[in-house]
Amino acid sequence: QMRQTLAELSTGSVCKRQRAPSAAAQDGAAAPLPTKRQRAAASPRRVSYVYSHTLACFHSAHICRSKSQGEMVHALLDAYGLLRRLCVVTSFEPATRDTLEMFHTRAYLWLLRKKHPGETGEASGERRRTQDHDEDEYGLENDCPLFDGVFEYCSLVVGATLQACRELQNGTAVAINWLGGRHHAMKDKAAGFCYVNDVVLGILALQEHFPRILYIDTDIHHGDGVQDAFCFSDTVLTVSFHKYQRGFFPGTGRLEDVGVGNGKYFNVNVPLSLDDVDDVTYCSLFDVVVAAAHSSFEPDAIVMTCGADTIADDPLGCWCLSVDGVAHCVSTVVSFNLPLLLLGGGGYAAASTARCFACCTAAALSVPLDDDIPDHQFWPKYGPDFCLRTRVAHVAPAGADGIVTAVKQTVLRNLAHLRTRVHAKKGVVLTRAAVAGSE
């Protein structure tokens, strides 16, 4: 069944779901006026897409460090005609310092502003007070060096994600920021090409309207910054599928790490030590775990980081997923019919990343894409085959089935504990409500 589903994705045979006529309509009787919820369900799914050319240029130059990658994603969506199906948002407010301080420390943000041009007065004084701290203490070296305009970039990437959150709060079904998903940043430290954690700030913003958030991370690297931010929380369930092996960044996300205190069992790690993980292995595991997480936690909204570094030719990855495999995961999450925020995350092969996010966008819209890359500005970069779906050749690692089965069984046991905790908490709330009502 999994192979058939992936085959349908690759051949473009996925169709929009159709609603059956009501019994009243079949009988010729006058149907009652639909409720607001019914009208929303019957209307086409609205998908919003937040984009900034300035942010894309920052992303290409300093984050993925692959020339024009941020612009390539946007251009491929346009070439396939997807922008016409999306509610495209190109105007939004950059995040303010006060907004960033909802998660990040003031000292860390002032250090980022060290490279912000035109700063005077209080900012300069604060900078002098923090300049004695070595930049490496805040992770601002190696893969996260300071660069001119870094604070502007941080304000834009968080601003774009917060705008996507506002789209969801205003009734959009799916909101996308492919330039977001900076899941490694800690409150006072940069890491893994991530300076600020727009994922955490987005979840905090969404919780003003959607109290219970399910966070799903399919980047090949563990979503350590998000897990760390919510490890004590019982209102955010984090689920991370990632490569876990000594020497592989960031080295966190063990199976045994399930959260702390009130957050126990609200962190779900799905670590795989295997190389060459393919679509069938990954998607079958993903579907089972995410379905169990959804039913156990009963979220109000979902946030998903769809790192493209799981794709076969990514220089920082070691797995063999295809773009259809990643898109299948998006389709699975879309099928829950909950408000969904889609973010980018990793991806360091420009053409493959653009292919991947184009397929994920099409999955959110439930539309097929032709396999031939349309002619457009960046068409030469998709050679030599100029196809959306490239052939993935790999050799299945020895003992893969046993390793995956063992991980799945442990994860499902942890989710069973989570279900017990969630239901117990609901029982306490219902009991208190009943007592208050009787008074």
Side-chain angles (χ1 to χ4, degrees), residues 293-366:
H294 173 262
S295 63
S296 297
F297 184 58
E298 299 177 4
D300 300 306
I302 302 176
V303 177
M304 184 174 182
T305 294
C306 312
D309 46 12
T310 55
I311 302 300
D313 65 346
D314 192 274
L316 297 187
C318 56
W319 286 351
C320 291
L321 268 66
S322 72
V323 295
D324 286 327
V326 181
H328 169 86
C329 295
V330 172
S331 294
T332 296
V333 177
V334 167
S335 70
F336 294 138
N337 291 317
L338 289 172
L340 172 61
L341 173 62
L342 289 177
L343 302 172
Y348 307 95
S352 290
T353 300
R355 288 182 175 104
C356 180
F357 291 158
C359 285
C360 290
T361 304
L365 291 164
S366 297

Side-chain angles (χ1 to χ4, degrees), residues 257-268:
D257 297 334
V258 295
V260 182
N262 287 339
K264 188 174 183 180
Y265 297 118
F266 287 82
N267 291 164
V268 177

Side-chain angles (χ1 to χ4, degrees), residues 185-373:
M186 302 293 180
K187 65 179 182 178
D188 58 357
K189 192 170 186 177
F193 310 109
C194 303
Y195 293 85
V196 285
N197 202 314
D198 64 299
V199 186
V200 170
L201 289 164
I203 290 173
L204 293 175
L206 283 176
Q207 285 192 302
E208 296 176 7
H209 288 75
F210 309 108
R212 302 169 63 78
I213 304 293
L214 169 59
Y215 173 65
I216 302 170
D217 195 322
T218 60
D219 191 292
I220 196 171
H221 303 97
H222 176 235
D224 53 342
V226 183
Q227 176 180 292
D228 185 72
F230 296 108
C231 65
F232 289 94
S233 174
D234 60 359
T235 61
V236 178
L237 173 61
T238 63
V239 182
S240 177
F241 298 80
H242 52 270
K243 166 82 171 180
Y244 180 75
Q245 193 174 47
R246 179 178 295 179
F248 193 82
F249 181 84
T252 55
R254 300 179 306 157
L255 198 58
E256 299 81 11
D257 297 334
V258 295
V260 182
N262 287 339
K264 188 174 183 180
Y265 297 118
F266 287 82
N267 291 164
V268 177
N269 285 303
V270 190
L272 296 176
S273 59
L274 303 166
D275 292 338
D276 301 319
V277 175
D278 65 1
D279 285 353
V280 173
T281 299
Y282 189 92
C283 293
S284 58
L285 178 63
F286 180 90
D287 288 353
V288 170
V289 170
V290 169
H294 173 262
S295 63
S296 297
F297 184 58
E298 299 177 4
D300 300 306
I302 302 176
V303 177
M304 184 174 182
T305 294
C306 312
D309 46 12
T310 55
I311 302 300
D313 65 346
D314 192 274
L316 297 187
C318 56
W319 286 351
C320 291
L321 268 66
S322 72
V323 295
D324 286 327
V326 181
H328 169 86
C329 295
V330 172
S331 294
T332 296
V333 177
V334 167
S335 70
F336 294 138
N337 291 317
L338 289 172
L340 172 61
L341 173 62
L342 289 177
L343 302 172
Y348 307 95
S352 290
T353 300
R355 288 182 175 104
C356 180
F357 291 158
C359 285
C360 290
T361 304
L365 291 164
S366 297
V367 298
L369 294 181
D370 188 80
D371 197 39
D372 292 329
I373 298 289

Side-chain angles (χ1 to χ4, degrees), residues 5-303:
T5 303
L6 293 170
E8 289 174 352
L9 281 168
S10 65
T11 57
S13 59
V14 179
C15 300
K16 292 184 178 179
R17 289 186 293 272
Q18 296 181 344
R19 299 175 64 85
S22 65
Q26 290 174 345
D27 295 339
L33 291 175
T35 65
K36 183 177 180 180
R37 183 183 295 274
Q38 289 170 334
R39 287 196 302 269
S43 63
R45 182 191 304 129
R46 193 172 83 191
V47 180
S48 296
Y49 166 66
V50 182
Y51 177 77
S52 159
H53 179 70
T54 303
L55 176 57
C57 291
F58 273 128
H59 185 87
S60 298
H62 302 288
I63 306 305
C64 64
R65 301 179 190 179
S66 178
K67 187 177 179 180
S68 302
Q69 177 171 305
E71 300 95 311
M72 283 178 67
V73 174
H74 184 74
L76 191 59
L77 299 183
D78 189 21
Y80 270 112
L82 295 177
L83 295 185
R84 295 193 297 271
R85 297 174 177 267
L86 297 165
C87 176
V88 180
V89 181
T90 57
S91 177
F92 57 87
E93 291 294 325
T96 64
R97 189 184 73 183
D98 288 342
T99 298
L100 297 176
E101 285 182 6
M102 294 179 68
F103 176 61
H104 296 285
T105 64
R106 178 168 295 184
Y108 173 64
L109 293 175
W110 280 126
L111 195 59
L112 291 178
R113 295 191 69 172
K114 181 179 181 180
K115 283 288 185 178
H116 188 62
E119 204 170 51
T120 58
E122 178 190 356
S124 297
E126 187 69 25
R127 244 189 8 251
R128 285 194 296 272
R129 287 191 290 274
T130 60
Q131 65 185 2
D132 292 336
H133 292 279
D134 293 332
E135 291 177 357
D136 59 358
E137 179 182 347
Y138 293 94
L140 297 169
E141 58 175 359
N142 299 326
D143 53 359
C144 292
L146 288 172
F147 60 86
D148 288 336
V150 63
F151 192 81
E152 180 185 1
Y153 160 74
C154 293
S155 297
L156 284 172
V157 71
V158 173
T161 292
L162 293 181
Q163 180 61 44
C165 293
R166 285 189 285 272
E167 296 294 316
L168 293 176
Q169 293 163 352
N170 290 331
T172 288
V174 182
I176 299 171
N177 174 22
W178 290 134
L179 298 172
R182 316 318 306 161
H183 60 165
H184 294 306
M186 302 293 180
K187 65 179 182 178
D188 58 357
K189 192 170 186 177
F193 310 109
C194 303
Y195 293 85
V196 285
N197 202 314
D198 64 299
V199 186
V200 170
L201 289 164
I203 290 173
L204 293 175
L206 283 176
Q207 285 192 302
E208 296 176 7
H209 288 75
F210 309 108
R212 302 169 63 78
I213 304 293
L214 169 59
Y215 173 65
I216 302 170
D217 195 322
T218 60
D219 191 292
I220 196 171
H221 303 97
H222 176 235
D224 53 342
V226 183
Q227 176 180 292
D228 185 72
F230 296 108
C231 65
F232 289 94
S233 174
D234 60 359
T235 61
V236 178
L237 173 61
T238 63
V239 182
S240 177
F241 298 80
H242 52 270
K243 166 82 171 180
Y244 180 75
Q245 193 174 47
R246 179 178 295 179
F248 193 82
F249 181 84
T252 55
R254 300 179 306 157
L255 198 58
E256 299 81 11
D257 297 334
V258 295
V260 182
N262 287 339
K264 188 174 183 180
Y265 297 118
F266 287 82
N267 291 164
V268 177
N269 285 303
V270 190
L272 296 176
S273 59
L274 303 166
D275 292 338
D276 301 319
V277 175
D278 65 1
D279 285 353
V280 173
T281 299
Y282 189 92
C283 293
S284 58
L285 178 63
F286 180 90
D287 288 353
V288 170
V289 170
V290 169
H294 173 262
S295 63
S296 297
F297 184 58
E298 299 177 4
D300 300 306
I302 302 176
V303 177

